[in-house]
Amino acid sequence: GGDASILAAVATLEAAPRLFGVVLAGSPPLSPVPFGKITTDEMRQQWQVNVMGPQRLLAELVRRCFRRHKQGTVVGVLTQAMGDGAAGAASGMGAYVIAKHGMAGMLALLAADHPWLRVRSVKPGYTETRMLAAFDERFLAMQREKAAFQTPEQVASLILEEAIGP
């Protein structure tokens, strides 16, 4: 199961001389549905990949890798679709947005419990990846008129800035 693969990965990392950081960038494809049409299976999958798995992974990495040097960096990839103080959450993004809020909460607790860890996040917008296949092309065309989509390379640069910045 998931815990066995997490433990195996951490054992491999623990054997390395030092782990400097980790990026939480995985997410299952989203299903663009409104709040009332989110299925139990989709919610479970999004929560497992964006919150439960990363929490187990980070707990083990702190215990077996980062604590040794009292240092480490964690960068979580969230999404602009979560909204912020100025804009609300993007409508119709289903369980994906809920799970990303869960990841944000998990990262906040990680930072509170381990103040010596550098815990950061990035919130990219639409990015030119296979994840866009979930959307209707007309919707994507309307979004592209509002703002250029980011490239994976641009998102990687944001992640690196957070990982090594002040």
Side-chain angles (χ1 to χ4, degrees):
D3 277 356
S5 62
I6 287 170
L7 293 174
V10 172
T12 300
L13 294 169
E14 186 179 24
R18 185 160 180 191
L19 177 66
F20 288 93
V22 64
V23 176
L24 304 175
S27 191
L30 65 87
S31 180
V33 297
F35 184 83
K37 297 206 185 264
I38 297 169
T39 67
T40 301
D41 286 343
E42 185 189 9
M43 189 72 246
R44 185 179 295 116
Q45 182 185 35
Q46 287 289 343
W47 199 257
Q48 178 67 41
V49 175
N50 281 293
V51 184
M52 291 173 60
Q55 186 278 327
R56 294 296 332 126
L57 173 66
L58 292 171
E60 289 298 317
L61 288 176
V62 166
R63 188 171 70 75
R64 294 168 58 184
C65 299
F66 292 139
R67 184 171 279 140
R68 186 179 326 153
H69 301 281
K70 281 283 196 204
Q71 195 173 23
T73 299
V74 176
V75 180
V77 178
L78 302 174
T79 174
Q80 274 183 6
M82 295 167 65
D84 56 29
S91 176
M93 293 288 189
Y96 174 73
V97 166
I98 296 170
K100 289 297 186 176
H101 276 282
M103 179 187 280
M106 185 262 308
L107 292 171
L109 184 59
L110 176 69
D113 284 358
H114 303 285
W116 48 267
L117 270 178
R118 179 181 177 83
V119 180
R120 301 289 189 270
S121 63
V122 296
K123 284 184 165 184
Y126 290 101
T127 305
E128 295 291 352
T129 66
R130 291 188 310 253
M131 195 174 217
L132 295 180
F135 298 100
D136 181 272
E137 275 303 321
R138 293 167 297 185
F139 172 80
L140 293 175
M142 288 185 338
Q143 297 306 313
R144 282 189 176 96
E145 286 176 15
K146 294 178 189 175
F149 286 12
Q150 292 171 291
T151 65
E153 294 79 11
Q154 288 169 321
V155 175
S157 290
L158 292 173
I159 292 167
L160 279 173
E161 285 173 27
E162 288 301 320
I164 61 177

